[in-house]
Structure formats: C-alpha cells, structure tokens
Amino acid sequence: MIEDLWYKNAVIYSLDLETFMDVNSDGTGDFGGLARRLDYLHALGVDTLWLAPFQPTPNKDNGYDISDYYGVDPRHGSSGDFVEFMHQAKKRGFKVIIDLVVNHTSNKHPWFQDARSSKDARHRDWYVWSEDKPSDWDEGMVFPGVQKSTWTYDKKAKAYFYHRFYDFQPDLNMDNPEVRAEIRRIIGFWLELGVAGFRVDAVPFILETPAPGKAKPTMNFEYLREMRRFLQWRRGDAVLLGEANVLPEESQKYFGHEGDGIQLMFNFYVNQHAFYALATADTEPLAEALEATKDLFFTAQWAQFLRNHDELDLGRLTEEQRQKVFSRFGPDKNMQLYDRGIRRRLSPMLGNRPQVELAYSLMFSLPGTPVIRYGDEIGMGDDLSLNERDAVRTPMQWSADPQAGFSRGKKLIHPVINEGPYAYTHVNVENQRRDPDSLLNWMTALIRLRKECPEIGWGKWQLLQTGFKEVLCICYCWKGNSLVVLHNFNEKAYEVEIDLKQQPGDKLIDLMNNFEGEADGKGKQHITLDAYGYRWFRTGDLSYQLFGEQQVEPE
Ligand code: NOJ
C-alpha cells in the first residue's frame, strides 16, 4: 500500500541529546531527560524524532566525530538508557531517526589509531593516504576560514591523510569493500535496536573518491544504492534522509531515477531561496527553486526546513542575493560564518512574530516533509559569544527556573541564554503552555493542521499566479481533495485574484478561520492577505482543472 510510505506525512523534530534535558545533573542532556520530555513532544504533535549523534566521541564537532559506532556516549547514559528511551518512544508512536556519520571517524577512533600505526596495519586502507604532499592540500575545505587544509601530515603514519572536514575527522575510504561492509553492520545494529532510519551526514562526500591533486573527485552513486538495498532488506519501512546541499539537477542522482537511492533529502536549495524571499519580499527566485526541485519519483520526498544545528548556508544564492540576505538577517561580521552563512536562530533573525509565523506556515506548506529544530517552537534565541555554530546550540528553555529547567548541574555543556529578549526567564515552555496566544500553542495548531493536510506530503502541486511577486500561491491535489495556500512576504496587505478554474459560487474553506470564500461570476477567487499574512484553504477536487486529468494515485 502506498500509505505505507509513512515519511510522506511525518513531522520531524530534530534535537541534540546534549542540550535537550539533563536528569542526572552533570550539565549534559541525556536519554533519561529526553524520555521524560516525550509527552511534551507528543503534545506538540511531532511524530518523528531525529537525534544528533550520541555515540562515544571526543566531541570536538558536536558529536560528528565518532570514536565508537556501536555505543552511547556515557555523558548521555548507557545502552540500557537508549533502549529504555526507544521503548518509551515506541509506546507513544514515535519513529526515531539517528545520524549516520560515516564519511569520517574521529581521529581517536581505534580504526584510525591502528591505520596510522604502520603501512601494513589492518585498517591502513580504511582511510585515504598520500605519501607526498598533495598539490591541492589546502583546497575544498567545508569550513573555510576555520579549517586550514583537507590533507594533513600525520607523523606516526608518515603520510598525509584526507579530511573533507576538520583535521580530527579523517575520511573513511569508501572504495574499500571492508569499510562499506562495516557501515552496513552499523546500519544493521541500530535498526535491530528499533530506529526507523538514518539522517545520513555529508552524503556527497561519502560518495566521492578523493585522490591527491584531483580537483573533481569521482562520485560513486552505487554506494548509496547498496546502502539503501541493505537497509530495505533489514527493515522494509526504514528510511535514509540525506544531507546533500547540491544543485537541483544533481539531486535526482541521490534519489535514484527509480527511487532506488535515498528516500528523503533536505531541500537546501529551496531553503536558501525561502530566506531570500523572507529578506526581500520577492518570491520569484523561490518559485523558480520550487519548480527546479519538482519532479520526483513517487517514493522520493523533500525534507523542508528553516534552520538546523549548523549555519544557515546561503552558498547556492548569487552573490547579490546572498548580500541582501546578509544585510537583512546577519549584518554583523560576527553573525556570519564560513563566508557563506549566518549563525543565528530563526526568531532573532526575523525579529518579529508575524514574520516568524509566515516563515513556519510557509515551511509547513512546502511540498515535502517538514523538519523543525528544538527550541524553534518557542522562538529561542542564539548566543553569538559562543564559538562558530555553537551559537545556535544553547540548552532548551523549559522554564524560568535556574538554568532554564534544563539542568541542575554546576557546569553546563553550553550556557543557557540568560539575558536580553530571548532569556529563558521570558522565553520558555512553561510560560508558553499557559498562554493561549504563545508561539508554542500557535505551532502546535499548525502542526496539527499540517497533519490534517496529507495533500502536501503526497499530492501533485502547482504554483498559481497571484499578480504580485510578493505573494506565493501553491495548490495541491490528492485523492479528490485540493488545498490552496497563500503567503504574503510583504509588510503591506494585498487583495489577490486567483484563477482555480472553478464555477461561479464554488467555495474555498479557510482552515484557520471561520470563513468561506466564493468564486465570482467568472469563477475567480478574491483573497485578502494581511501584512505577512498566510491563508490555507481547502476545496473540492481541482485536479482536472489544474492538471487536465483526474488523478490516479499509485496503490
Ligand atoms: C554536517 C553536520 O550537519 C555538521 O554539523 C558537521 O560538522 C559535518 N557534517 C561534519 O560531520
């Protein structure tokens, strides 16, 4: 049954154990804390949790430097605590996705320690080496300005090793079949413990075969298909959600032409153009980005998001577009990172509630599966005094109690935000639960609305002309229902006329207010939108009018 593709109508919540909830008072969040907060997440309405890496790690890159793939870092609890958490999550119907970080290991991983010990070491060929200094040793860095090279000399190994990311994250050699077999073992291990899939870190870099002096490495997409096949043999409904910030024309290769690649990919391209629209009120580039990422095989799906645990990457915009987003959302040098991004949370960037609502309403209405980031549901802020991306990784603000109710520990993993408009004393879950007009309650209603609109995850869609570049209108059709969603990116109100090719008198039912629109004598709808306004409507089947055919759904 096609409905078995559960991810098509899921709402994903991403969190980092470290900063979510600490019950043992050591200053770092843990599985015990997360388990206690499952009822909160259930009430919020999300149904899938994506956990950032929690395996043993020296923790020099927020856990993305793993030193044992088969364990739980003691700071977060034990394997027993993980299984107990999984049990509690399952009881409430949650699916749990975990990070799969296999482009590289930590340099403290025993495989790397062995690999560097001698040329004949058992794991030598698990990594990528060069005897001589590669001519491109300082090219291709992912973190420009902070990371100095991609090839670094290791004295013990007497060779240079390759690292796409920091020098403490040596890349695994994917061309080695033993490495790929080990990755399958890792996948198999966590599937056996009940996870529903993996957020695959750094997918393009996993697939490349780096070689000294070779500017454009070969990409091997068969490795992705191999991973997918294994995943599905082991668990039919498990998914891979890929992190691949690639151009639209490249993305088909990741999904696989017949859906034999990864099922889900973050839509970085639409994300960046959505921020451009938010910054300038011009939705045309966003509309083009949506069109460019449109035609997918029916099992493939975009994951739509606004912010994540990294910088807001604007690298796919033109220089002029990027500068406009910088000047509106990250004007100070200290807000910018890696020459391409902004290290801020959503609320302080947008600065006002109407635009925050607009941004989230948009994100939840975009074709695909929405992913939200812990703390964004209450409008948490950032701490620009912290290092690089840590600015957006401060502890969850649960209450006005000391340390935001996150921990009773003496020293926290990251400080809580305790001053300014985003301090935990003002911005916290407890306050917002009691306030009917809070962002939290608004978000809970939006999540529920999204769950009630499966057309968005499943349906065919089309952008409709509104006559104003500031107003985006998208229409979905699925199983005899249609949905029309409009967003006004400007600070002034509009009345727009849209042509749904209806009959005079045909209705549009507003899903957020008690309101019915009626098509005029020519069958056109007239819709008003406040400044930064958004409206969601349902109507009868428009698939014939919009797509020229009655839709036949795959079974
Ligand atoms: C992407 C992750 O999102 C980021 O946080 C990390 O630093 C790199 N991959 C390296 O694993």
Side-chain angles (χ1 to χ4, degrees):
M1 281 300 285
I2 182 105
E3 278 84 358
D4 286 346
L5 306 182
W6 59 270
Y7 53 92
K8 287 265 175 178
N9 204 39
V11 177
I12 305 179
Y13 187 91
S14 81
L15 66 95
D16 193 337
L17 259 284
E18 200 169 75
T19 46
F20 200 60
M21 182 67 206
D22 169 28
V23 283
N24 70 352
S25 305
D26 65 353
T28 299
D30 39 44
F31 277 109
L34 173 56
R36 283 203 201 169
R37 288 296 182 248
L38 284 172
D39 288 319
Y40 163 78
L41 296 170
H42 195 253
L44 181 62
V46 299
D47 53 20
T48 305
L49 308 178
W50 155 30
L51 310 184
F54 53 79
Q55 291 84 355
T57 171
N59 207 23
K60 289 175 79 180
D61 181 18
N62 198 39
Y64 283 89
D65 46 332
I66 293 178
S67 54
D68 173 9
Y69 287 93
Y70 299 99
V72 170
D73 193 287
R75 295 171 313 132
H76 304 311
S78 63
S79 304
D81 294 329
F82 173 79
V83 170
E84 185 53 28
F85 152 73
M86 288 298 290
H87 171 71
Q88 296 294 344
K90 200 166 139 198
K91 239 170 58 178
R92 290 164 178 84
F94 284 111
K95 292 215 158 34
V96 177
I97 291 180
I98 66 170
D99 249 279
L100 182 68
V101 189
V102 290
N103 171 66
H104 48 266
T105 67
S106 157
N107 58 355
K108 297 287 184 280
H109 197 294
W111 302 336
F112 187 69
Q113 288 304 320
D114 177 51
R116 65 198 282 258
S117 67
S118 96
K119 291 211 165 76
D120 317 311
R122 155 101 178 76
H123 295 96
R124 181 70 169 198
D125 191 45
W126 282 39
Y127 294 86
V128 185
W129 302 99
S130 169
E131 303 273 308
D132 306 314
K133 188 172 189 172
S135 55
D136 55 351
W137 65 278
D138 59 352
E139 287 170 27
M141 280 83 73
V142 174
F143 304 125
V146 183
Q147 183 190 349
K148 300 279 173 280
S149 62
T150 46
W151 291 92
T152 292
Y153 189 69
D154 185 87
K155 270 198 198 135
K156 200 162 171 200
K158 299 196 185 61
Y160 290 82
F161 66 93
Y162 181 73
H163 52 94
R164 194 37 113 153
F165 297 93
Y166 295 112
D167 60 2
F168 52 81
Q169 293 166 314
D171 273 36
L172 282 165
N173 175 12
M174 213 48 63
D175 291 337
N176 182 335
E178 280 188 21
V179 168
R180 301 204 304 279
E182 187 69 36
I183 292 174
R184 291 196 292 275
R185 250 189 300 280
I186 297 168
I187 294 176
F189 177 84
W190 291 104
L191 285 178
E192 215 57 37
L193 291 180
V195 307
F198 300 87
R199 177 264 188 195
V200 191
D201 188 58
V203 185
F205 305 127
I206 295 181
L207 305 182
E208 69 185 15
T209 301
K214 197 171 170 194
K216 222 172 173 297
T218 334
M219 305 285 289
N220 198 332
F221 285 91
E222 178 52 24
Y223 296 164
L224 203 58
R225 292 191 284 271
E226 192 178 277
M227 233 188 238
R228 167 73 190 274
R229 280 196 297 272
F230 177 79
L231 179 90
Q232 239 72 86
W233 287 333
R234 286 290 167 96
R235 183 169 166 174
D237 65 349
V239 295
L240 297 175
L241 160 57
E243 186 219 13
N245 183 352
V246 295
L247 287 169
E249 54 269 30
E250 292 287 300
S251 52
Q252 293 292 357
K253 295 187 201 150
Y254 292 79
F255 285 126
H257 291 284
E258 291 188 342
D260 54 355
I262 48 184
Q263 294 98 326
L264 288 147
M265 271 220 291
F266 289 103
N267 199 331
F268 281 94
Y269 198 67
V270 160
N271 171 271
Q272 308 186 22
H273 289 90
F275 274 94
Y276 178 77
L278 289 165
T280 61
D282 176 2
T283 68
E284 275 165 11
L286 172 60
E288 282 163 26
L290 284 165
E291 293 291 354
T293 53
K294 189 167 187 175
D295 292 317
L296 301 183
F297 190 75
F298 78 95
T299 54
Q301 175 93 330
W302 288 112
Q304 304 288 3
F305 68 105
L306 288 170
R307 290 293 291 111
N308 59 20
H309 61 292
D310 291 326
E311 80 287 3
L312 164 63
D313 189 335
L314 302 168
R316 299 280 172 209
L317 299 181
T318 64
E319 184 55 31
E320 198 189 334
Q321 289 172 332
R322 189 165 36 254
Q323 288 314 324
K324 284 188 183 158
V325 183
F326 274 153
S327 75
R328 169 75 175 79
F329 295 139
D332 302 349
K333 267 276 163 252
N334 186 33
M335 296 169 174
Q336 301 171 9
L337 196 60
Y338 313 136
D339 309 328
R340 58 161 185 250
I342 301 181
R343 55 184 205 116
R344 299 184 78 189
R345 279 235 186 208
L346 189 81
S347 277
M349 233 183 325
L350 301 185
N352 62 76
R353 171 80 180 262
Q355 252 196 322
V356 169
E357 286 189 13
L358 172 77
Y360 270 106
S361 169
L362 172 77
M363 194 272 272
F364 275 92
S365 73
L366 290 176
T369 299
V371 184
I372 64 172
R373 168 99 178 122
Y374 84 89
D376 279 0
E377 72 272 31
I378 53 169
M380 267 173 58
D382 41 52
D383 181 348
L384 292 169
S385 71
L386 299 180
N387 218 9
E388 293 179 52
R389 292 163 288 159
D390 286 351
V392 296
R393 298 170 179 170
T394 60
M396 179 68 179
Q397 298 177 185
W398 294 107
S399 70
D401 293 344
Q403 306 192 139
F406 157 70
S407 167
R408 294 207 170 96
K410 287 206 182 69
K411 188 165 175 353
L412 304 188
I413 175 88
H414 292 306
V416 291
I417 295 180
N418 59 9
E419 52 186 41
Y422 299 94
Y424 68 85
T425 37
H426 324 297
V427 177
N428 65 62
V429 170
E430 202 173 74
N431 285 357
Q432 295 200 17
R433 288 285 282 174
R434 295 185 190 133
D435 172 3
D437 297 324
S438 67
L439 185 64
L440 177 60
N441 283 319
W442 176 87
M443 187 79 82
T444 308
L446 182 67
I447 291 172
R448 179 174 170 175
L449 178 61
R450 170 62 185 80
K451 295 287 295 177
E452 290 168 349
C453 296
E455 295 93 328
I456 301 176
W458 288 98
K460 275 195 171 186
W461 60 269
Q462 215 175 84
L463 294 173
L464 297 182
Q465 290 303 325
T466 64
F468 300 98
K469 70 175 179 6
E470 294 84 356
V471 181
L472 188 77
C473 177
I474 188 161
C475 181
Y476 291 92
C477 298
W478 188 61
K479 290 204 164 172
N481 277 326
S482 295
L483 192 74
V484 182
V485 190
L486 292 107
H487 287 91
N488 170 17
F489 287 73
N490 210 359
E491 58 196 359
K492 66 174 208 185
Y494 289 89
E495 186 190 71
V496 299
E497 180 185 275
I498 52 168
D499 185 5
L500 300 169
K501 306 202 174 63
Q502 290 177 304
Q503 296 301 315
D506 277 0
K507 302 260 191 281
L508 275 189
I509 312 295
D510 191 317
L511 296 175
M512 290 175 166
N513 300 295
N514 274 330
F515 170 86
E516 279 187 14
E518 217 175 76
D520 67 11
K522 293 185 185 140
K524 311 258 173 79
Q525 296 281 353
H526 296 263
I527 298 168
T528 55
L529 289 146
D530 292 339
Y532 301 128
Y534 50 88
R535 300 188 72 177
W536 295 45
F537 298 97
R538 174 157 284 126
T539 183
D541 194 3
L542 296 172
S543 57
Y544 190 76
Q545 290 93 312
L546 296 180
F547 299 101
E549 60 191 44
Q550 217 69 38
Q551 262 183 274
V552 182
E553 314 297 338
E555 279 303 322

